[in-house]
Amino acid sequence: TGVQTCALPIFPPEHTLVVNSSSDWLALAAFAVTAVVTSDLAGRERAGREEAARRAEEARLGERLATVIATASNLDDALAGLGDQAARTLGAETGVIVRGAGPSRRPGVLPLELNGRAIGELRLSGGDPGLVDSPAAGRIARQLAGLIALGEERERRMREEVNARALLRSDELKTAL
């Protein structure tokens, strides 16, 4: 019976690397160095973009904090919502700002200090416990501490102004009598 056989062409294996001469080794080394350098540069660029995005978010947070504290009639009322905003910027779910709390090293607690003076603390929940040790947390803590101190000074001056007005009215009344 007539069985036919067909001769298949022989192809060299695909996806193989053959180095036949020393110039091939040199080219391979140049390609490898180029790949490593390019990968490193791309990684640095990506990290730089991420850092820039974090810093931009921190700047927006600072603007919101300053605006809320400057326009609020009561500092405690203003701080109620600011803790959550700061926490979300850091990557936690919620945050509460507690004024006047002394320094504590509990997990998830970011101390708020200004020139070595304890202003309070930001208590974070729903985030990485090591979050409070990040550089971003330090920057936000300094920002919060400074703004809280400014808010406290604003409240003190407003109280003094009210007292001064009351004293002035009292003097006017005494003079009129």
Side-chain angles (χ1 to χ4, degrees):
T1 67
V3 176
Q4 287 186 339
T5 59
C6 175
L8 296 174
I10 298 177
F11 294 108
E14 292 186 26
H15 308 296
T16 60
L17 178 66
V18 178
V19 179
N20 290 327
S21 68
S22 61
S23 65
D24 291 344
W25 281 108
L26 185 60
L28 179 62
F31 288 140
V33 167
T34 302
V36 168
V37 169
T38 303
S39 174
D40 183 56
L41 289 174
R44 287 182 188 185
E45 175 63 26
R46 188 177 320 108
R49 265 195 328 269
E50 290 170 358
E51 180 66 18
R54 274 193 300 274
R55 297 268 181 144
E57 181 59 30
E58 290 171 23
R60 285 190 293 274
L61 173 67
E63 179 185 0
R64 287 191 304 267
L65 296 175
T67 301
V68 168
I69 287 175
T71 58
S73 60
N74 182 329
L75 183 59
D76 288 325
D77 293 342
L79 294 179
L82 296 181
D84 283 336
Q85 290 181 31
R88 283 191 297 275
T89 300
L90 287 169
E93 290 177 15
T94 61
V96 175
I97 297 173
V98 179
R99 283 175 49 192
S104 66
R105 294 306 316 167
R106 291 181 289 154
V109 175
L110 182 63
L112 306 176
E113 298 176 346
L114 183 65
N115 297 328
R117 180 177 67 105
I119 302 290
E121 61 188 20
L122 174 61
R123 297 177 183 168
L124 302 170
S125 62
D128 180 19
L131 185 66
V132 297
D133 297 323
S134 71
R139 289 188 300 267
I140 288 176
R142 284 188 298 277
Q143 215 174 33
L144 276 172
L147 290 171
I148 290 171
L150 286 173
E152 289 173 346
E153 179 64 19
R154 180 177 166 262
E155 280 189 337
R156 185 184 67 77
R157 288 183 186 266
M158 288 172 62
R159 281 192 306 270
E160 286 176 357
E161 183 180 338
V162 167
N163 290 339
R165 274 196 230 139
L167 189 58
L168 182 64
R169 286 187 190 142
S170 172
D171 287 345
E172 288 173 352
L173 184 60
K174 285 179 188 176
T175 304
L177 288 175

